[in-house]
Amino acid sequence: MINTPLTRDYHLRFPIIGAPMAGVAEAELALAITKAGGLGMVGIGSSASPAFIEKQGERLTAGGPFGLGLMVWALKQRPDLLDAALEVKPTLISLSFGDPTPYIERCHARGVRVAVQVHDRTETHQALVAGADLLVAQGTEAGGHTGTVATLPLLQLVLRQAGSTPVAAAGGIATPQAVAGLLAMGAAGVWVGTAFIATPESRQSSEGRAQVIAARETDTILTHVYDRLQQLAWPDAYAGRALANEFTRTWHGREADMLETSEAREHFLSHRGDYSVDYIYAGQAVGLIEEERTAADIVAWLGSGAEEILKRRCRDLFPLDPA
Ligand SMILES: Cc1cc2nc3c(=O)[nH]c(=O)nc-3n(C[C@H](O)[C@H](O)[C@H](O)COP(=O)(O)O)c2cc1C
């Protein structure tokens, strides 16, 4: 069995975290991932209600360890989201996309560990000083909102800075080979989002799941279009990686023009669920997703597959060493 700080600290069979994905990863997906031996997380969007968090908590509490993912920029306007999250006693809270310093102590005081997604050396330093229990090196390949540095250089930088704090890798991970490679580099685990979108347990619509399966690795775009359109207070440093479509082809790079009249916004609002206009957030790993699979199947495949690969590679690379 793979043994890392992540499997030890959270009592996991596999060092795999189901990433928080607002609107996509809710209790059903998180429960399925935890039941299969990983750690499932629920993404809390900026407009979520405390009642939603309470309901998710009720469904998750008896099912083993679980996490809740909060966005720091949203907490500035919605501190009630953290209050509600702490009430349901998650194993882990993630605080991403902003300075987590004001919030970590409160989580620790309630016995909740904190993960922080980081995107460069400055954010890594900030998260370490603030007392993060787990750093998540989120590369730009990732689906949803992310930074601009790719997973490979970012993970090397974060591992160099992290000292004894465990580091998970995120962004572009969708095969056992990737899990094995990142563990070999020194990651304590992997934080996987896109690979779980096309599962029956995800909240993505069946049409959205079909688009994820059909998409290639070159079909995503990192864009501010949807955040500007919805007037969300996302910091400039984080754009969202989504499947490119007619709408992004029209407005990406022309956000100021888009906002000059209400036309684009009205068009968007009247076409929700039409994915030539509406968004499907997904990472470059979409190119590796070829069919719908259950979350349990994916966790077992990634985890057991990585175990096999690591053992085999050690034997192949060191044929002369005693076993
Ligand atoms: C549909 C979608 C929604 C996401 N929503 C959130 C979120 O609410 N909070 C968060 O911290 N990260 C969010 N993320 C980022 C993930 O937590 C994670 O970093 C990312 O999915 C990892 O890269 P991958 O998609 O290549 O696996 C989202 C990602 C996706 C694909």
Side-chain angles (χ1 to χ4, degrees):
M1 257 169 62
I2 292 174
N3 177 24
T4 75
L6 201 70
T7 60
R8 289 197 297 276
D9 292 351
Y10 301 88
H11 309 291
L12 307 179
R13 169 69 182 86
F14 299 117
I16 297 171
I17 296 179
M21 295 186 282
V24 173
E26 296 186 1
E28 194 180 348
L29 179 57
L31 276 169
I33 291 171
T34 293
K35 206 168 151 215
L39 174 65
M41 295 190 70
V42 170
I44 310 295
S46 57
S47 59
S49 66
F52 167 78
I53 297 174
E54 196 185 327
K55 275 218 180 82
Q56 294 289 305
E58 278 167 15
R59 293 191 58 196
L60 286 158
T61 307
F66 70 94
L68 298 176
L70 296 165
M71 297 180 294
V72 169
W73 63 266
L75 290 182
K76 284 185 190 151
Q77 300 146 351
R78 297 285 314 279
D80 56 318
L81 294 178
L82 180 58
D83 299 335
L86 288 169
E87 277 308 307
V88 304
K89 300 185 171 53
T91 315
L92 182 70
I93 279 184
S94 67
L95 297 169
S96 304
F97 313 120
D99 180 2
T101 310
Y103 309 104
I104 293 188
E105 221 173 273
R106 273 188 60 206
C107 298
H108 284 167
R110 300 285 290 266
V112 178
R113 289 193 177 104
V114 177
V116 178
Q117 296 198 77
V118 295
H119 306 91
D120 59 31
R121 69 180 74 200
T122 308
E123 287 188 11
T124 304
H125 179 71
Q126 189 176 56
L128 283 167
V129 171
D133 303 285
L134 176 68
L135 296 172
V136 183
Q138 191 209 31
T140 192
E141 302 92 318
H145 288 77
T146 185
T148 54
V149 181
T151 303
L152 200 52
L154 182 66
L155 180 62
Q156 293 168 81
L157 274 166
V158 176
L159 285 169
R160 191 184 275 179
Q161 283 175 269
S164 59
T165 304
V167 179
I173 303 161
T175 63
Q177 287 89 346
V179 179
L182 295 163
L183 291 173
M185 280 179 68
V190 291
W191 178 281
V192 178
T194 295
F196 288 112
I197 298 177
T199 58
E201 296 91 348
S202 100
R203 296 279 296 163
Q204 182 53 272
S205 67
S206 54
E207 169 59 18
R209 299 201 298 262
Q211 297 238 358
V212 163
I213 290 166
R216 292 190 176 193
E217 59 281 9
T218 45
D219 289 342
T220 71
I221 184 167
L222 191 58
T223 184
H224 289 290
V225 159
Y226 292 110
D227 299 331
R228 301 285 187 263
L229 190 77
Q230 297 176 92
Q231 295 171 327
L232 298 174
W234 273 99
D236 289 344
Y238 314 110
R241 186 173 296 284
L243 296 188
N245 60 14
E246 216 175 285
F247 198 78
T248 62
R249 279 188 283 276
T250 307
W251 295 115
H252 177 71
R254 296 181 53 217
E255 287 80 1
D257 294 346
M258 175 180 78
L259 297 174
E260 250 173 30
T261 69
S262 60
E263 201 181 313
R265 187 174 156 76
E266 279 160 17
H267 185 62
F268 168 74
L269 290 174
S270 62
H271 286 77
R272 296 307 306 261
D274 167 355
Y275 297 117
S276 66
V277 177
D278 204 350
Y279 54 82
I280 296 174
Y281 283 119
Q284 293 177 338
V286 281
L288 293 156
I289 294 159
E290 288 168 349
E291 58 185 344
E292 190 157 312
R293 296 171 74 172
T294 65
D297 187 24
I298 295 169
V299 172
W301 176 65
L302 292 177
S304 301
E307 286 177 359
E308 286 303 306
I309 290 165
L310 284 167
K311 286 182 198 161
R312 197 176 58 233
R313 285 296 285 155
C314 281
R315 286 196 299 267
D316 290 351
L317 291 168
F318 303 101
L320 301 178
D321 283 9

